[in-house]
Amino acid sequence: MTVIFGMTWREMLRKRVVLLTLLLTLAFLVAFWFIAQTIGSAGSIAGLDPNGGEALMERFARGAFLLTLGYFFGAFVVAFLSIFSSFSAIAGEAEQGVLQAMLPRPVPRWQWYLGRWLGYVTMGVLYAFLLYVAILGITQWHASVPRDAVSLAEAFLLFAMPVPILAAVSMLGSGFLSALGNGVFMTMLYGAGWLGGMIEKLGGQMPLGAVVLAPLSKISGLIALVMPVDGLQGKMLAVLFDYGSLGSLMPVGANPMNQFAFGQVPSASFVVYAGIYGLAALGLGLWRFERKDL
Amino acid sequence: MSEAAIVADGLTKQFGNGRGCRDVTIAVEAGEAFGFLGPNGAGKSTFVKMMVGLVMPTSGKGTLLGQPIGSLPSKRLIGYLPELYRYQEWLTGEEVVRLHARLCGVDRQAADRRVPRLLEDVGIGLRGRDRVKHYSKGMQQRLGLACALVGDPPIVFLDEPSSALDPIGRMEVRRLLERLKAQGKTVFLNSHLLEDVEAVCDRIALMNDGRILRHGRVADVLQQRLRWRFKVGGFSDAALGWLREESGLPVGIPPDAGSDRDGAVWLEADLANEEQAGWLNALIVEQGLTLYEAGPRSERLESWFANAVAGLNHRGERE
């Protein structure tokens, strides 16, 4: 398995996937730096006592907005990196003929599968960590938002959790669909999850009656069950800002200007569900791969 | 009798579209070179894929040196060059072979000795330092041969090993196959290049429409029919009829032989022995025809193949 794991990493490095991703991320971070500088500058909080409570609240709100913006982008990049690094893992290599030369080797198929998955996951999680720290650092520099280490660690785990889930689903799809078909399928699936999240966020902020909100909530809930990744991002922000205790002090989640906020905070059970969802996808993918004719 | 290296017992794979192979039973002795022939779409590659663990059989069983096919112990015994091959184009040729060596459990020191030599043997040499993406199809096929052999396996499955090679490359591969055979390896050769099969293999099997149609020793197959040709002058249709009647032999005019400028005609007959040839000679002379030339024409595997599948449905052509 270590050979396959190492091969996956080497593939990412040689194909310059990592380099390209890092360069584009750097470009984003530079842009984000200036955005953060503009929004978070103390001088823009006009008319408020810099040491007063209102200014503190305003600074926190701006920092929260910046972090939400940064992680909104970050979640996208991490998700797409996870999907596009793994969507052709089986179908693509089988179509090319690479697998036909590799699998007759004395390596159990489950080891090959897990080696590939672990390769994609470690790379994605490492990238997620770097991005997470960079966004946090930039926001901290320009608009300090007080947080504790436990929240930060928990939020990071939630931020990185889509990586193993998406890689598992993407590899599962690759066992059934062609490389191109799976790429389209995964993009649509992730997009559906994102749409479900947006329906809930925007629906909660619009002046809609309970008659409208109830079915909307049901639809977004069903979509979140099909693709739970967007819900994890919402949970991550909730943990990062400690919305539970903050909600009584300021309207962080209901700012009509903030489309990156969310309506309901996903429960801990939802996170457990997402974990089981990922494990089920991994297990099903393994089962499929063990029986696949090549 | 030596141990059977490759055994298939009623091995069947049926795909949803009706393709695959059915009830294949063969045994290849250790150290033997076995040629597997058949038209396109006959099911040859499916059979090989079952033997190397890429395709799960629908029914039947198979073993490689006593180990069930698809099992890890059986995979330790084989080298395989697939028909459809591509190698990681982001690696160099040498890195690909080293990757396969690691997957085979070859330690680093052994790989250091073996990989450069193998690259030399298959004609890649120093181009092993180039990325695979710069390789031609023929170079990739050579690379595939090196990968198949890097674990020093006792059994080698080669699915069309020289289909992408130029004539010199084909000759090199044929020599390589002969060396493998001389080393005592069991070679299972799936090929349309019948000259290679004829030169290297001890036994052959012919598959058509997913079933084994014929099998036997190459030497026996080639001697099954002794075909003689006679160049005669003064020929007439009446003379041909008389020859057939008198000799009781299937004398005819071969379709590929027209008459010479001097009016001479080639006659052909499948004979059981040389006595029949002598008898036919005597009858030709007795009939007043001029006999210019007479001699046996040994059948090539190509014509054996063509005769064997003549008139049969070929799935590869039916699509």
Side-chain angles (χ1 to χ4, degrees):
Chain A
M1 191 155 67
T2 51
V3 179
I4 304 298
F5 174 78
M7 185 190 81
T8 305
W9 263 93
R10 190 186 278 192
E11 179 181 8
M12 292 299 145
L13 293 170
R14 285 277 176 91
K15 283 182 172 174
R16 297 180 183 163
V17 174
V18 174
L19 181 69
L20 194 66
T21 308
L22 288 178
L23 283 176
L24 290 174
T25 304
L26 191 66
F28 160 74
L29 290 175
V30 169
F32 186 65
W33 173 277
F34 288 110
I35 293 167
Q37 191 178 38
T38 307
I39 293 176
S41 64
S44 64
I45 308 174
L48 296 177
D49 175 9
N51 299 317
E54 265 188 277
L56 187 69
M57 297 279 266
E58 181 61 25
R59 202 174 294 123
F60 182 90
R62 292 179 184 200
F65 175 77
L66 277 174
L67 276 180
T68 310
L69 177 72
Y71 289 130
F72 179 77
F73 169 81
F76 259 114
V77 181
V78 168
F80 280 112
L81 183 66
S82 304
I83 291 170
F84 287 110
S85 58
S86 58
F87 80 99
S88 67
I90 298 168
E93 294 203 346
E95 285 163 14
Q96 288 179 344
V98 174
L99 271 188
Q100 283 84 338
M102 299 282 285
L103 290 183
R105 293 303 181 195
V107 177
R109 284 194 181 195
W110 67 265
Q111 282 192 13
W112 187 94
Y113 195 88
L114 282 185
R116 291 296 262 175
W117 181 75
L118 281 173
Y120 298 132
V121 169
T122 50
M123 191 193 65
V125 169
L126 179 66
Y127 173 74
F129 178 74
L130 293 174
L131 194 58
Y132 180 81
V133 170
I135 291 170
L136 202 63
I138 290 172
T139 312
Q140 192 70 15
W141 183 269
H142 293 293
S144 176
V145 179
R147 286 167 303 269
D148 64 283
V150 176
S151 304
L152 286 177
E154 202 180 330
F156 168 68
L157 290 177
L158 287 164
F159 182 64
M161 198 171 164
V163 175
I165 294 173
L166 288 172
V169 178
S170 185
M171 285 181 71
L172 168 65
S174 183
F176 288 95
L177 303 168
S178 69
L180 182 63
N182 192 40
V184 172
F185 169 75
M186 283 305 299
T187 308
M188 297 293 280
L189 187 64
Y190 177 74
W194 182 80
L195 182 68
M198 289 303 281
I199 289 170
E200 192 188 341
K201 288 166 197 167
L202 294 177
Q205 291 166 28
M206 289 168 75
L208 301 171
V211 180
V212 180
L213 281 176
L216 276 183
S217 178
K218 199 173 281 180
I219 291 167
S220 61
L222 284 173
I223 292 175
L225 289 177
V226 175
M227 176 37 73
V229 162
D230 193 72
L232 290 174
Q233 195 204 0
K235 179 73 176 171
M236 174 250 176
L237 291 173
V239 168
L240 190 66
F241 300 129
D242 193 12
Y243 274 20
S245 49
L246 200 65
S248 57
L249 298 174
M250 59 191 298
V252 280
N255 182 354
M257 295 298 288
N258 187 0
Q259 70 271 39
F260 308 113
F262 51 90
Q264 284 185 316
V265 176
S267 65
S269 307
F270 180 80
V271 178
V272 173
Y273 166 78
I276 293 170
Y277 175 96
L279 283 175
L282 183 64
L284 197 59
L286 264 170
W287 179 85
R288 166 68 178 161
F289 188 60
E290 285 279 350
R291 286 153 187 78
K292 188 172 175 60
D293 289 330
L294 291 160
Chain B
M1 191 175 171
S2 59
E3 182 187 12
I6 302 170
V7 175
D9 183 8
L11 213 51
T12 299
K13 178 67 186 184
Q14 286 194 293
F15 294 109
N17 58 6
R19 285 174 171 258
C21 52
R22 289 184 293 279
D23 200 26
V24 178
T25 299
I26 53 171
V28 180
E29 302 299 320
E32 198 173 31
F34 192 88
F36 205 45
L37 313 176
N40 292 331
K44 307 185 299 293
S45 291
T46 301
F47 174 76
V48 173
K49 284 179 174 181
M50 278 195 285
M51 297 308 291
V52 301
L54 283 173
V55 167
M56 316 296 158
T58 309
S59 63
K61 57 185 178 181
T63 58
L64 298 171
L65 288 170
Q67 302 293 339
I69 53 171
S71 66
L72 281 191
S74 77
K75 288 183 174 183
R76 288 194 186 95
L77 301 168
I78 58 170
Y80 171 54
L81 172 69
E83 181 188 25
L84 174 66
Y85 53 87
R86 278 284 285 278
Y87 297 90
Q88 290 82 353
E89 60 179 24
W90 37 274
L91 291 176
T92 66
E94 185 174 338
E95 285 170 336
V96 169
V97 185
R98 283 185 185 277
L99 172 67
H100 280 259
R102 287 188 70 193
L103 292 173
C104 291
V106 177
D107 64 56
R108 187 180 288 269
Q109 284 79 15
D112 286 344
R113 285 193 306 274
R114 204 177 291 170
V115 172
R117 197 187 63 223
L118 261 176
L119 289 172
E120 204 60 49
D121 282 354
V122 299
I124 290 180
L126 292 177
R127 286 214 56 201
R129 295 172 189 167
D130 293 347
R131 291 269 178 99
V132 174
K133 68 178 174 187
H134 299 303
Y135 280 20
S136 65
K137 201 158 184 270
M139 284 290 283
Q140 289 211 34
Q141 194 155 39
R142 290 167 189 264
L143 184 64
L145 278 168
C147 291
L149 301 175
V150 73
D152 196 20
I155 303 172
V156 187
F157 286 93
L158 304 173
D159 200 345
E160 301 291 352
S162 45
S163 58
L165 299 179
D166 56 29
I168 293 171
R170 286 179 185 179
M171 202 184 301
E172 286 170 357
V173 168
R174 193 189 294 184
R175 284 190 196 130
L176 180 68
L177 293 174
E178 286 166 350
R179 278 206 301 277
L180 292 174
K181 196 178 157 192
Q183 288 166 14
K185 294 191 187 301
T186 307
V187 179
F188 193 98
L189 181 60
N190 190 357
S191 178
H192 285 301
L193 296 172
L194 301 180
E195 276 182 39
D196 290 355
V197 175
E198 200 175 312
V200 177
C201 294
D202 304 301
R203 288 198 303 138
I204 51 171
L206 174 64
M207 178 174 262
N208 187 60
D209 204 17
R211 292 182 187 278
I212 298 283
L213 202 63
R214 294 182 188 184
H215 61 90
R217 298 192 62 77
V218 173
D220 295 342
V221 163
L222 296 182
Q223 286 176 5
Q224 266 177 6
R225 295 193 304 166
L226 192 59
R227 179 163 292 177
W228 278 69
R229 281 197 174 186
F230 306 86
K231 187 178 177 184
V232 297
F235 175 78
S236 67
D237 287 342
L240 180 61
W242 182 85
L243 275 175
R244 281 180 183 152
E245 197 174 315
E246 282 296 307
S247 66
L249 295 169
V251 186
I253 300 171
D256 60 332
S259 61
D260 286 3
R261 257 182 286 176
D262 56 4
V265 169
W266 282 99
L267 299 179
E268 189 177 73
D270 289 340
L271 305 176
N273 49 48
E274 288 188 341
E275 282 71 29
Q276 286 186 337
W279 169 232
L280 208 51
N281 269 351
L283 289 176
I284 289 170
V285 173
E286 187 182 326
Q287 181 63 12
L289 303 175
T290 308
L291 182 62
Y292 294 115
E293 196 178 325
R297 188 168 177 267
S298 68
E299 189 181 38
R300 309 298 298 181
L301 202 52
E302 201 168 82
S303 54
W304 176 83
F305 179 91
N307 287 331
V309 298
L312 299 176
N313 271 335
H314 306 164
R315 294 185 305 195
E317 297 166 3
R318 211 170 53 196
E319 289 173 330

